[in-house]
Amino acid sequence: MSQNESQNTITLADLIENVKLGGGSVITSITEQEPAAGPHAPLAPAKFVDGKGSDSKSVFAYEIRYIVEKSEDQDEPEKVVKGKPQKVVLIDSKQSELNRAEAAIEQGRQYGDEAVVKIPRAVVTYQTENGPVEYTDMELSHRIFDGHFRAGHIDGKPITENDQYRALRNCTPADMSALLNTAPAALLFGAWDSTRKSNQVRLRSALVGEIIGVLADQEPGAEHRQARRGGARVDAVAASVKLDAKELSSLVDDQEAELSAKNVAARRKEVKTAKADARISASTLGLGSIPPTLEETGAVACRRIIRSWVLSLATLRQLRFGTDETKNVAARALLAALGLNAIARAERELYIRANCDLIESSAPVVTLDQRFGKKKTFAPLTVEHTDQLLLEAIENAKKAGVADWNGQTFKVDGNPIIIKNATAEDAE
């Protein structure tokens, strides 16, 4: 394959040809990355909760992956070196990567980008003391079938009595047209109407992504020797603030509306059980310094970092929008274009989390599977190119009579009972 051929941009014709039955299985985008500060820099991977209640702890997710090493042969940089199973850590999970893609699309909508403002969406609006707050189907976990939508109202009536919403919930594998024209995020990113007693819509995500790090320490048991990270809090006013019971009670009373219920209950218990001459630390109210301590779950050293995206054309081919195959192909190509746009937008800003700053070691490699071992490589995806691709796909779907995307919004009023009882406390 020539250099010029490898740098061709993917086209709508490519998508249309490969969402037909028997087309390519996937489109992938793979990027080699490295710590921004250099190979010596530790990285903070994603944390997960292991256990429940007081026995729970934060842990990293370690796995065994088959890693093919990069060639160090300057004359043959594409030469494949035999791989082997190696320990890796999950730096960013599949769910987090999808969330980043959806957030990037929503950001584009806020900036008024021509292509993404045309995408239909559903919005639930809560009335708060600070004014109305909107949440879209790209922000809520189960998309249009999320509990926040299901508990909402339209025109003062429960959403479950709304004909348009019922049409969404009654979609079948034979016809997903209602979702395509109202809340297409579910068709690309996946959704599950899990609380419905029957006829649940289940859609696997056609787009998945992740970032993994190949651990520098590959010795047996290395996955249990987690690095420790130092942390502290410095109070510019006072290193320590200790109050008597009456003073602490006064502070709690003044701040009760802003403190969590657990914090208030714990502080009042301290006040109630304190001895007459006791001095109680106010650190739980954010006052005073906290001496430097070491956390068990800190960071890891990685000798290689890989970000990967997979857009499953095979998954899109499972979707139908009636019996007209021309319409089916146009709809699938539209969703594929949206998926590529999501990848490009997610990759545009390489932001993960604190202590996890990364840079690209090389340009993303975009590959279309052509079945039976054949592959075609394209230029890296850009927002500018995939925006144009999405606009072309929107127009093609409109001409086919299967979708008319013009930025329509399915509006839902959030249930005030939910927002009234919402807190920032973690579930037990």
Side-chain angles (χ1 to χ4, degrees):
M1 181 179 294
S2 69
Q3 181 66 23
N4 288 337
E5 184 181 12
S6 68
Q7 290 303 305
N8 288 340
T9 55
I10 196 164
T11 66
L12 180 58
D14 291 317
L15 298 183
I16 290 173
E17 184 62 28
N18 285 280
V19 294
K20 295 177 181 177
L21 297 180
S25 294
V26 297
I27 297 173
T28 62
S29 179
I30 312 297
T31 310
E32 296 282 343
Q33 300 179 333
E34 59 187 82
H40 66 279
L43 293 176
K47 287 184 180 180
F48 300 87
V49 176
D50 184 20
K52 295 182 178 180
S54 59
D55 295 327
S56 66
K57 58 182 180 180
S58 292
V59 299
F60 298 150
Y62 295 99
E63 300 177 5
I64 300 294
R65 299 286 185 92
Y66 188 79
I67 304 296
V68 177
E69 298 297 339
K70 297 176 291 183
S71 174
E72 296 182 2
D73 190 334
Q74 298 297 324
D75 296 325
E76 297 183 82
E78 296 182 358
K79 181 180 179 181
V80 175
V81 179
K82 187 176 180 180
K84 60 182 179 180
Q86 296 188 51
K87 294 185 180 70
V88 305
V89 65
L90 190 60
I91 292 176
D92 214 38
S93 69
K94 291 178 172 62
Q95 187 58 54
S96 291
E97 286 287 277
L98 284 190
N99 290 343
R100 297 186 198 287
E102 292 169 302
I105 290 175
E106 283 301 313
Q107 184 183 58
R109 190 194 306 277
Q110 293 167 12
Y111 280 106
D113 291 355
E114 181 183 5
V116 294
V117 297
K118 290 182 176 290
I119 304 169
R121 62 174 182 162
V123 175
V124 57
T125 303
Y126 283 108
Q127 302 301 326
T128 74
E129 61 183 13
N130 296 318
V133 178
E134 295 184 348
Y135 298 93
T136 75
D137 55 332
M138 285 199 186
E139 296 174 294
L140 298 173
S141 299
H142 293 279
R143 282 83 197 184
I144 186 60
F145 303 122
D146 196 86
H148 290 281
F149 283 110
R150 193 175 55 255
H153 294 81
I154 297 177
D155 296 330
K157 297 180 180 180
I159 192 175
T160 51
E161 296 180 11
N162 179 269
D163 289 341
Q164 187 176 358
Y165 183 70
R166 293 181 70 83
L168 300 175
R169 300 190 80 183
N170 291 333
C171 279
T172 68
D175 193 348
M176 292 286 175
S177 299
L179 277 171
L180 181 67
N181 285 288
T182 305
L187 298 171
L188 177 66
F189 298 110
W192 180 16
D193 196 1
S194 61
T195 59
R196 198 178 191 190
K197 63 181 179 181
S198 61
N199 301 319
Q200 296 179 350
V201 177
R202 292 194 185 197
L203 295 162
R204 63 148 284 186
S205 174
L207 178 66
V208 294
E210 66 174 3
I211 304 177
I212 62 170
V214 182
L215 294 173
D217 185 355
Q218 288 285 316
E219 293 300 317
E223 66 270 28
H224 301 298
R225 299 198 302 273
Q226 298 189 20
R228 305 176 80 188
R229 181 174 60 193
R233 183 180 74 206
V234 177
D235 188 327
V237 175
S240 176
V241 177
K242 292 187 177 182
L243 311 172
D244 63 29
K246 184 177 180 181
E247 291 168 334
L248 179 60
S249 181
S250 175
L251 280 185
V252 172
D253 289 344
D254 290 345
Q255 302 177 49
E256 182 173 4
E258 301 297 323
L259 298 174
S260 71
K262 284 184 180 180
N263 198 350
V264 171
R267 303 295 71 75
R268 286 187 171 152
K269 183 178 180 180
E270 280 186 314
V271 169
K272 185 176 181 179
T273 58
K275 296 180 180 179
D277 59 348
R279 307 293 292 180
I280 307 169
S281 172
S283 62
T284 52
L285 297 180
L287 300 171
S289 300
I290 296 179
T293 58
L294 287 175
E295 298 179 15
E296 285 299 324
T297 305
V300 297
C302 297
R303 62 181 182 81
R304 188 176 174 192
I305 300 165
I306 307 169
R307 186 178 198 174
S308 58
W309 293 95
V310 177
L311 175 62
S312 174
L313 303 177
T315 297
L316 294 180
R317 286 196 293 272
Q318 309 311 305
L319 302 175
R320 286 180 286 162
F321 304 88
T323 58
D324 187 331
E325 190 60 14
T326 300
K327 291 183 178 181
N328 288 334
V329 169
R332 294 168 190 156
L334 174 57
L335 292 170
L338 177 58
L340 296 180
N341 189 264
I343 295 172
R345 288 181 175 277
E347 289 185 337
R348 182 163 62 173
E349 292 294 338
L350 192 45
Y351 171 78
I352 306 300
R353 67 180 64 83
N355 301 306
C356 192
D357 293 308
L358 301 171
I359 59 174
E360 293 93 349
S361 303
S362 57
V365 177
V366 178
T367 306
L368 167 65
D369 167 67
Q370 293 186 305
R371 310 296 296 272
F372 311 117
K374 296 181 179 180
K375 297 180 180 180
K376 184 177 181 181
T377 304
F378 294 93
L381 301 171
T382 67
V383 173
E384 293 74 20
H385 167 61
T386 56
D387 270 4
Q388 184 59 39
L389 185 63
L390 181 55
L391 287 171
E392 292 174 11
I394 290 173
E395 185 60 27
N396 182 65
K398 184 176 181 179
K399 288 181 179 178
V402 69
D404 186 9
W405 286 12
N406 50 45
Q408 57 266 47
T409 301
F410 182 60
K411 298 180 179 180
V412 179
D413 296 322
N415 195 314
I417 293 175
I418 295 174
I419 202 68
K420 176 183 177 182
N421 292 282
T423 72
E425 295 177 343
D426 293 332
E428 295 182 358

